[in-house]
Amino acid sequence: MAADTNATDRPSRDGAPITTAATNDPASTPASKQPDASDTGNGNVHSQRQRYFGANKAASRGNGDKRKRDFGRRANKGGENGPQFDWRDRKRRKTDRVGEDGAKPESSYMSIEFSEAEIASEERRPKKKVAVMIGYAGTGYHGLQINHDLKTIEGDLFAAFVAAKAISKANADDPRKSSFLRCARTDKGVHAAGNMVSLKLIVDDPDLVQKINENLPPQIRVWGIQRTNNAFSCYASCDSRWYEYLMPSYCLLPPHPASFLGRRISQSTQEAGLEEEYAARMGGVKDYWDQVDREYIQPILDALEPNVREAVKLRIHSPERDTNENSATKTAATDDDSKPDDDATKKNVAKDAEVLGLSAEDAPATIAEETTAAESASTEKPAEPENGEYKPKELSPVEKALKEIKTAYVAAKRRYRVTPDRLDQLQEALDKYVGTKNYHNYTIQKSHNDPASKRTIKSFIVNREPIQINDTQWLSLKVHGQSFMMHQIRKMVGLAALAVRCATPWSRFEESYSPARISIPKAPSLGLLLERPVFDTYNKRAVEDLGLEDLNFANYDKELQAFKEEHIYRRIFELEEKENSFHIFFNQIDTFKSDFFLWVTAGGLEVTQQRMGPREIPQELEAELGDEGEDVNDKEEG
């Protein structure tokens, strides 16, 4: 637990503070400029951030409680094998940015610095250990966890605490001085209706919650602040967590029979003699795509010139990166226009692997071969550059037709309405997760022998009443578990949806818990939100033994539901309608020409290429394949 810092043991500060401001660009770092209140819609947060500076200067100089320092010295005494460091030191080295030469570190979202005069003039007020119940929409943020270089939920929350005078100026340069902890870490773009941080705050102001919220953007809210015992940790005291996942009902539609995966499913079903079982699992959606092709796609093809029609038919079920390629985005053409650009090919391979949740080493050569063939098919030179930049060229007749067909397919998906039978199958798939299982295939860098791969799921339920938003029908899935690893929920949803849409044998779930290494694609992060953490064990002790109130998000149900409707659900629905995230995800799987996902077919693991072991993401592809800024060293999701 971080030591308290007061006016008598503050570190001295050298030099003038640097003024910076946070921006709306999640990838940006604080810039050395006067802050603009319009950056997040609230100027108070940014007025407190004007003095961002290097973090942890106090920690680097050994300030703080003497017992804390003594513990550190005792824990780090050298032994036979050299100095010994505990987990606190490893964590500290991840966050500290103070150079070995004592030089001032770069500006940081984790530190708000004030001058010595400002700190000396501030009245000293006592702090109390509290639980802060929060909710947020993760759009535009690089996840929850506070970060030096990236805009995060905790970064804005910490600045709001300082602005509301809940954290003193002396402690504003390092969240650890306030014993700042989170209950459940959420990744980039993931939302939370209910989450919690625990820390020491100055809570003598009766209007503190209102003042904190006044210094936060509307997409981050504090629901309440409750006093806890001094030893409380919202992470360690959390018994379990509820997550919700929203996805369009069209995710349960089978792959198009002309796609790569659709053809392989049909082939393996016939070879295994399981046509009747497959037809029974498909039910009313078995001929869905035949009807769509007949009523909506064929009229588009009939209107084309014969040569254009044939070219379009060859590319209808190619990966969308092929049909969407715009030569203006490629590098300058060589004299041999038929030669594909190697860098563009590699980028397309990386893009496919990213969408499907594979490492670069897992991306097979067939992707590169298909990309090369698709790019070689185009012999049209891009427009001559002006001022060194290429202008987008006008779409060719083939490209126009492909774009029209894609729009027709997306519209057909959105018209789909789920049947009770498909919901029954989805629930049967979700029931396979209940209990304690080995989820090494559902995360990264975990082996089957790792004890941490075992997780307990209490329930996983699909709501039988779909939600209709504009043209799209949505399904709500809620999972209750003790804790989750990185990607685990998204991969659980990914496998369940694939099992339903591909009529995958139910035995594949048990096989996924075995030592066999299966590549399970992770469903889009867009649909995931943390519903609430649960503190049953702590609450019983707090009420019966400590005389404290229980930590219960049900006290804020009305506010939480209104917030979900306005800031979370609306963002999810609008982004899907704009970006077609789920359509792109399943289209990439269906057209991914490799045997990595053939475990969904009747052929099973025997026809599937298995991963060789837990792999780290190659450094050169970390930006593309690192799952949108997630820290692979922090594998706990919540």
Side-chain angles (χ1 to χ4, degrees):
M1 185 177 300
D4 294 350
T5 303
N6 55 37
T8 62
D9 62 7
R10 301 180 204 104
S12 61
R13 287 168 170 78
D14 305 303
I18 298 176
T19 61
T20 64
T23 71
N24 273 336
D25 181 4
S28 64
T29 56
S32 298
K33 64 173 184 177
Q34 281 301 112
D36 183 355
S38 66
D39 283 345
T40 63
N42 192 303
N44 293 332
V45 170
H46 296 288
S47 66
Q48 292 298 326
R49 284 186 168 163
Q50 288 179 357
R51 286 174 289 272
Y52 273 105
F53 204 67
N56 313 326
K57 189 179 291 185
S60 69
R61 297 187 181 182
N63 289 284
D65 184 77
K66 182 179 185 298
R67 287 175 297 176
K68 176 80 173 182
R69 300 198 303 272
D70 289 342
F71 172 81
R73 285 194 292 267
R74 289 195 299 270
N76 296 330
K77 283 184 178 180
E80 293 180 358
N81 298 320
Q84 303 296 312
F85 297 96
D86 69 355
W87 64 270
R88 297 173 183 82
D89 299 292
R90 292 195 296 271
K91 196 75 173 178
R92 189 172 299 120
R93 286 196 297 273
K94 282 182 64 177
T95 56
D96 283 353
R97 292 295 183 91
V98 178
E100 295 181 0
D101 58 356
K104 294 180 181 179
E106 298 175 356
S107 55
S108 167
Y109 280 105
M110 292 180 66
S111 175
I112 304 173
E113 289 227 352
F114 293 87
S115 68
E116 286 288 346
E118 289 174 305
I119 294 173
S121 64
E122 184 180 39
E123 178 187 2
R124 293 179 58 187
R125 298 150 66 198
K127 303 188 295 288
K128 303 291 184 183
K129 191 64 172 289
V130 296
V132 183
M133 284 168 273
I134 61 175
Y136 50 86
T139 305
Y141 286 87
H142 281 260
L144 170 69
Q145 187 171 347
I146 199 164
N147 187 292
H148 282 282
D149 305 318
L150 303 172
K151 183 179 176 66
T152 64
I153 300 294
E154 285 182 353
D156 277 7
L157 191 63
F158 182 70
F161 290 156
V162 176
K165 298 184 177 6
I167 292 178
S168 67
K169 295 177 180 178
N171 291 337
D173 62 341
D174 188 350
R176 291 176 304 176
K177 291 183 178 180
S178 301
S179 303
F180 198 111
L181 288 174
R182 70 202 57 82
C183 176
R185 183 184 70 85
T186 56
D187 299 323
K188 177 184 176 182
V190 176
H191 317 293
N195 202 349
M196 182 182 291
V197 296
S198 58
L199 71 166
K200 295 177 182 178
L201 290 182
I202 302 168
V203 293
D204 53 9
D205 188 340
D207 299 322
L208 182 59
V209 171
Q210 177 184 342
K211 290 181 179 178
I212 293 173
N213 282 329
E214 288 172 352
N215 286 278
L216 286 169
Q219 72 185 86
I220 306 176
R221 292 291 89 182
V222 169
W223 306 126
I225 299 176
Q226 290 184 212
R227 181 77 170 90
T228 67
N229 63 319
N230 290 333
F232 177 76
S233 160
C234 63
Y235 178 79
S237 300
C238 182
D239 295 315
S240 59
R241 297 152 176 89
W242 281 91
Y243 278 84
E244 182 176 18
Y245 193 89
L246 295 171
M247 68 178 186
S249 63
Y250 70 69
C251 295
L252 303 184
L253 283 170
H256 193 287
S259 68
F260 173 78
L261 186 58
R263 296 195 306 271
R264 297 302 293 269
I265 291 173
S266 177
Q267 177 186 343
S268 65
T269 300
Q270 292 175 8
E271 291 174 352
L274 299 174
E275 292 94 335
E276 291 185 6
E277 290 84 346
Y278 178 81
R281 286 277 299 271
M282 287 293 105
V285 299
K286 181 177 182 295
D287 300 320
Y288 187 85
W289 293 119
D290 291 338
Q291 181 180 355
V292 170
D293 286 345
R294 185 171 57 253
E295 296 181 7
Y296 300 99
I297 306 303
Q298 193 59 46
I300 298 175
L301 294 173
D302 290 343
L304 301 175
E305 295 292 333
N307 61 326
V308 175
R309 184 187 308 121
E310 293 306 313
V312 169
K313 289 169 70 174
L314 288 173
R315 296 176 60 186
I316 285 181
H317 299 292
S318 295
E320 288 200 359
R321 55 168 170 72
D322 291 345
T323 60
N324 291 339
E325 274 297 306
N326 189 328
S327 60
T329 64
K330 298 179 182 179
T331 56
T334 62
D335 292 337
D336 180 7
D337 296 321
S338 64
K339 181 179 179 181
D341 183 272
D342 290 339
D343 291 336
T345 300
K346 292 177 182 178
K347 289 178 181 178
N348 283 336
V349 174
K351 181 179 179 182
D352 272 355
E354 177 183 6
V355 171
L356 300 174
L358 295 176
S359 72
E361 297 175 31
D362 283 344
T366 49
I367 313 177
E369 293 167 0
E370 181 182 296
T371 304
T372 300
E375 290 172 349
S376 298
S378 175
T379 59
E380 184 176 352
K381 272 191 175 183
E384 289 299 321
E386 293 183 7
N387 300 324
E389 296 183 359
Y390 284 89
K391 285 188 175 181
K393 69 178 181 67
E394 184 179 352
L395 295 178
S396 69
V398 172
E399 291 167 330
K400 287 180 179 178
L402 288 170
K403 184 176 182 180
E404 185 179 0
I405 288 173
K406 172 193 171 183
T407 302
Y409 274 131
V410 172
K413 287 184 175 184
R414 296 194 185 283
R415 285 193 300 270
Y416 173 71
R417 299 295 176 259
V418 71
T419 61
D421 174 65
R422 302 301 276 175
L423 288 177
D424 289 341
Q425 290 192 48
L426 178 58
Q427 186 58 63
E428 185 171 356
L430 299 178
D431 287 342
K432 303 294 182 184
Y433 294 126
V434 176
T436 301
K437 314 287 185 183
N438 191 311
Y439 287 98
H440 73 105
N441 277 315
Y442 294 76
T443 186
I444 60 174
Q445 299 181 2
K446 291 283 189 186
S447 69
H448 184 266
N449 296 328
D450 190 337
S453 297
K454 291 186 177 181
R455 300 293 162 123
T456 299
I457 303 299
K458 298 174 178 289
S459 66
F460 209 155
I461 306 294
V462 57
N463 192 325
R464 306 288 301 190
E465 299 295 330
I467 307 165
Q468 186 68 39
I469 303 294
N470 298 328
D471 297 331
T472 307
Q473 187 186 60
W474 290 79
L475 302 178
S476 170
L477 287 60
K478 291 192 177 181
V479 58
H480 183 200
Q482 287 184 345
S483 62
F484 300 91
M485 296 177 288
M486 179 181 283
H487 308 330
Q488 181 183 337
I489 297 174
R490 292 167 59 191
K491 284 178 176 282
M492 292 167 74
V493 172
L495 190 150
L498 284 172
V500 175
R501 70 194 299 267
C502 301
T504 303
W506 298 122
S507 59
R508 209 69 76 240
F509 285 85
E510 288 302 321
E511 290 171 341
S512 74
Y513 311 137
S514 73
R517 295 197 169 275
I518 305 174
S519 296
I520 303 175
K522 56 183 182 291
S525 63
L526 173 66
L528 182 62
L529 67 123
L530 173 62
E531 182 90 352
R532 67 185 186 277
V534 179
F535 298 88
D536 289 338
T537 303
Y538 168 81
N539 285 343
K540 187 175 185 297
R541 178 169 174 261
V543 173
E544 295 179 0
D545 301 335
L546 304 177
L548 297 171
E549 295 182 18
D550 63 346
L551 303 175
N552 192 350
F553 282 89
N555 298 331
Y556 311 99
D557 267 349
K558 183 178 179 181
E559 295 91 336
L560 262 70
Q561 191 59 38
F563 180 80
K564 283 201 294 185
E565 295 288 346
E566 180 180 357
H567 291 283
I568 297 180
Y569 290 161
R570 179 180 59 82
R571 291 172 190 269
I572 293 175
F573 301 148
E574 289 179 353
L575 274 175
E576 161 59 19
E577 195 161 314
K578 177 182 177 182
E579 299 178 358
N580 297 318
S581 302
F582 288 90
H583 161 75
I584 292 173
F585 171 71
F586 284 107
N587 178 268
Q588 294 292 78
I589 293 176
D590 296 347
T591 58
F592 194 73
K593 292 187 176 180
S594 85
D595 53 3
F596 271 82
F597 299 135
L598 295 188
W599 51 263
V600 304
T601 71
L605 302 187
E606 290 76 11
V607 298
T608 302
Q609 182 172 340
Q610 297 187 27
R611 296 181 291 116
M612 299 305 296
R615 292 190 176 103
E616 295 186 3
I617 297 168
Q619 184 176 1
E620 63 272 16
L621 292 176
E622 189 169 338
E624 291 80 7
L625 304 182
D627 202 358
E628 308 157 334
E630 294 171 358
D631 184 355
V632 298
N633 293 314
D634 191 354
K635 294 181 281 294
E636 294 293 330
E637 186 167 16

